[in-house]
Amino acid sequence: MFHPHRENHLVERIGWLRAAVLGANDGIISTASLVVGVAAAATAPSEIIVAGVAGMIAGAMSMAAGEYVSVSSQADTERADLARERRELAADPRGEEEELAQIYVGRGLAPALAREVAVQLMAHDALEAHARDELGITATAAARPVQAALASAATFTTGAIVPILAAIASPASMVVPVVFAVSIALLALLGALGARAGGASLLKPTLRVALWGALAMAVTAGIGALIGKAV
């Protein structure tokens, strides 16, 4: 006897995982780069911390706003597409049925079977069938602006607090190397965790995140040092 079971597919994590990884990466890289750049300019420890905290707050708000606007635009497009599809279904159901059948033929079904599948799916929920198979809109991949904004802001703040705490705990003369080392280690860990959660191999994502983070901090530290000497 067949026993139905729940399968947890990794694709179900794409929405929140993308926002979470992006937010945390940005939080670490941008805040660590800011702290390292300010510290390289030989600024007082208190000013380094103030700069880091200000960068964390501004970055979290920017991430939330940007993610909300971006995903809202996606949601608006999805709603417009669904509204148009609803009108087409009302105006020409037979034509929409044939369109759906041809989609299934293109995916490998025999024409007769494709039409039967199209008929049954449209009888069950015509809009859902066309949204999924014609437009590529599913519940899993649907745009959720508020969720994406909150996830980005929260993970940005979580990532940003680490280089700030590292700077607070470091002797004034060691802020740059300590923040650099701690941030790279955390970026590598985050890259590995994100890859594991997404079911990808660990090496490439880990190296990619760590190398880009190191480059960002190195460039910012160099610019900070030059500016510090100039002023």
Side-chain angles (χ1 to χ4, degrees):
M1 180 182 291
F2 173 73
H3 296 285
H5 62 282
R6 168 68 176 167
E7 294 184 355
N8 294 316
H9 294 290
L10 297 176
V11 71
E12 295 175 358
R13 306 173 181 175
I14 286 176
W16 65 262
L17 182 61
R18 181 188 68 84
V21 171
L22 178 63
N25 280 346
D26 270 8
I28 297 168
I29 294 174
S30 62
T31 307
S33 297
L34 178 62
V35 168
V36 167
V38 173
T43 309
S46 61
E47 295 175 344
I48 296 171
I49 303 306
V50 170
V53 173
M56 177 182 69
I57 296 171
M61 296 304 295
S62 175
M63 285 290 295
E67 195 72 16
Y68 183 83
V69 170
S70 174
V71 180
S72 291
S73 296
Q74 178 187 339
D76 291 341
T77 300
E78 290 177 357
R79 282 193 292 270
D81 280 342
L82 289 173
R84 183 172 61 251
E85 195 63 36
R86 194 177 287 110
R87 291 192 299 270
E88 291 174 354
L89 285 167
D92 185 15
R94 288 296 180 88
E96 291 299 302
E97 181 182 294
E98 179 62 25
E99 183 180 28
L100 195 61
Q102 291 305 314
I103 291 173
Y104 298 143
V105 169
R107 293 179 182 177
L109 293 184
L113 179 58
R115 286 189 178 84
E116 180 63 24
V117 171
V119 168
Q120 292 195 26
L121 286 178
M122 287 186 65
H124 174 69
D125 190 330
L127 183 61
E128 180 187 21
H130 280 269
R132 179 184 60 247
D133 295 322
E134 181 183 349
L135 304 177
I137 300 174
T138 65
T140 299
R144 296 181 176 87
V146 174
Q147 181 190 65
L150 292 176
S152 292
T155 52
F156 183 97
T157 303
T158 301
I161 199 69
V162 174
I164 294 173
L165 293 176
I168 293 173
S170 305
S173 61
M174 293 294 292
V175 169
V176 172
V178 169
V179 170
F180 192 95
V182 169
S183 299
I184 291 299
L186 186 59
L187 283 169
L189 177 61
L190 183 64
L193 290 175
R196 184 175 181 82
S201 62
L202 299 183
L203 184 60
K204 282 187 177 181
T206 302
L207 289 177
R208 181 169 57 234
V209 173
L211 287 174
W212 277 106
L215 178 61
M217 284 185 281
V219 170
T220 310
I223 294 173
L226 289 174
I227 293 174
K229 291 177 181 178
V231 299

